[in-house]
Amino acid sequence: MAHTTAWKFFPLVWLLFLGYPVTGFLEHPRPLGDGLLFWGLVLGFTAVFLRVFWGRPSARWPVVGWGVCLLAYALLWPRIGGTASAFLIYGGSLIGYQNRAALTVSLSFLNVLIMAAPLWNSTYHVDDLAWLGPNALFTLVAAYGNHASYRRRVADVRLAQAHAEQERLAAEAERERIARDLHDLLGHTLSVIVLKSELAGKLATRDPERAGAEMREVERISREALHEVRAAVRGYQGSGLGAELARAKVALDAAGVGLQVLGALPPLPPETEHTAALLLREAVTNVVRHARARTVQVSLDPAGSGWRLTIHDDGVGGAGPEGSGLTGMRERLRAIGGHLHRDGRAGTTLTATLPGPVGGPEAGRGLVTA
């Protein structure tokens, strides 16, 4: 959360480049009209700049921001010279923050041409290329970088929406399953208990022995119902990994990544299954955000006295530092007696060793399958 908050305020850093036009304006005394024009343009630009990067994603505001930057350059260049080109760089960064790549490329190159135009009428000289060249390059880099950042932001929003929708659908399906199971398990049983209890009440004075037999039957049926309810509850608790695989498929489909589950999932103890589901969730989140993968493969196989969960993607891989998510998963696995290995060659492969029940995986055959 702190990382996300820091990036939210990162656009403020780029406003430091306003120091160039401000310094150029303050170098000499200016008439009151020039001062009002300059500071009005700076304040207007800042307001639009913050709206583009802090407001909801919009196709209109980046174009408005680009227009404001172009207007600021046109009005200020005759007054402060080349330092006004900072607004053309800002224009490139703003026009990049939308989803139309062709518009980003065309208008950012237009900014570069406008910036270099004074070369043709000899207003700029060869010596000016020392700052003009980097500024032109920075305009294009800012446009490209912000366009990629915008697409990433939209992808994150869609991923969050897909997760939320999948959670909602999974919750609805689970409620329906519980309601159906409770009806199937208890509806008939409770009806029988009511009938036998009523019969026992009527026989209590006329035939106490038969009434006692009916009550013993009520006790037997009640114990069977309790056993069935407990078995159903274990089934609900054991559905974590299967439900997480369903959520993973929705998230990966939204990102254009295929999911392959290699083989059937064996039954797992509840705590082990919960940890495996969390690891799968963290791995899929990393794939969607960073891996640029095309496929993800998931397998869960017996290994010694436990199991081996393998999650492999064919993305960029690498041996970069791990984030807090994987670090937290290592701690969770250690807490239950497992461990995690990461291999960044040929994509990324996460291999988690999961502990099994006493007696090894064969002893887990009575557990509920995810």
Side-chain angles (χ1 to χ4, degrees):
M1 181 64 69
H3 178 75
T4 302
T5 302
W7 275 106
K8 180 180 178 180
F9 289 98
F10 188 75
L12 292 177
V13 174
W14 297 114
L15 290 178
L16 294 175
F17 286 94
L18 283 175
Y20 289 105
V22 169
T23 300
F25 181 79
L26 296 178
E27 280 184 349
H28 308 287
R30 308 284 180 175
L32 177 61
D34 284 359
L36 294 175
L37 175 65
F38 177 81
W39 294 113
L41 288 171
V42 168
L43 290 176
F45 158 77
T46 303
V48 174
F49 181 89
L50 295 178
R51 170 59 184 80
V52 170
F53 289 105
W54 282 1
R56 296 180 60 183
S58 167
R60 177 168 60 95
W61 278 102
V63 178
V64 172
W66 177 82
V68 169
C69 291
L70 202 63
L71 177 65
Y73 175 79
L75 294 177
L76 296 180
W77 186 80
R79 294 171 171 81
I80 63 175
T83 56
S85 62
F87 287 102
L88 293 179
I89 300 175
Y90 280 124
S93 69
L94 289 171
I95 202 58
Y97 206 68
Q98 44 81 37
N99 63 349
R100 292 168 289 182
L103 186 66
T104 296
V105 171
S106 59
L107 294 188
S108 58
F109 271 101
L110 178 59
N111 278 15
V112 170
L113 293 176
I114 294 172
M115 188 184 300
L119 283 172
W120 314 126
N121 61 10
S122 301
T123 302
Y124 290 157
H125 301 93
V126 175
D127 293 343
D128 291 308
L129 290 175
W131 62 267
L132 190 59
N135 279 10
L137 179 61
F138 196 35
T139 300
L140 300 177
V141 170
Y144 171 80
N146 282 343
H147 183 67
S149 177
Y150 177 86
R151 294 175 68 90
R152 167 71 179 276
R153 179 180 176 183
V154 171
D156 285 346
V157 170
R158 289 176 178 171
L159 177 62
Q161 291 173 344
H163 274 304
E165 179 65 11
Q166 181 61 24
E167 292 285 353
R168 184 185 68 81
L169 293 175
E172 289 183 1
E174 193 69 6
R175 282 195 294 268
E176 291 176 2
R177 174 192 170 194
I178 291 172
R180 183 175 61 252
D181 287 355
L182 288 178
H183 178 270
D184 294 343
L185 288 172
L186 299 180
H188 174 72
T189 302
L190 292 177
S191 297
V192 173
I193 289 174
V194 169
L195 290 174
K196 286 187 171 293
S197 298
E198 290 177 349
L199 178 59
K202 293 176 181 179
L203 294 174
T205 54
R206 289 185 297 169
D207 191 348
E209 184 176 347
R210 185 181 173 190
E214 292 293 341
M215 290 308 299
R216 286 191 294 274
E217 185 68 9
V218 167
E219 179 184 2
R220 184 188 65 79
I221 294 172
S222 299
R223 290 185 183 277
E224 288 181 356
L226 180 60
H227 175 75
E228 291 175 347
V229 169
R230 286 173 174 169
V233 169
R234 286 196 297 271
Y236 300 144
Q237 292 173 339
S239 63
L241 188 55
E244 196 59 48
L245 273 172
R247 283 190 287 268
K249 179 169 176 55
V250 171
L252 292 170
D253 284 347
V257 182
L259 174 63
Q260 300 174 358
V261 181
L262 307 181
L265 298 180
L268 297 176
E271 185 179 15
T272 301
E273 182 179 11
H274 178 66
T275 302
L278 291 178
L279 175 60
L280 177 62
R281 181 182 303 180
E282 179 63 28
V284 168
T285 300
N286 287 341
V287 168
V288 172
R289 290 182 175 175
H290 310 300
R292 301 201 293 275
R294 291 177 296 177
T295 58
V296 173
Q297 295 179 337
V298 178
S299 63
L300 182 61
D301 305 300
S305 61
W307 293 271
R308 180 175 60 252
L309 174 64
T310 305
I311 305 168
H312 171 74
D313 69 75
D314 58 358
V316 295
E322 294 182 0
S324 58
L326 284 179
T327 301
M329 288 314 307
R330 289 188 185 278
E331 296 173 356
R332 283 182 178 274
L333 283 165
R334 279 197 295 267
I336 65 171
H339 66 269
L340 177 67
H341 174 72
R342 182 180 71 144
D343 186 346
R345 297 170 295 180
T348 298
T349 302
L350 297 178
T351 305
T353 301
L354 304 169
V358 177
E362 294 296 323
R365 291 192 181 276
L367 299 172
V368 177
T369 303

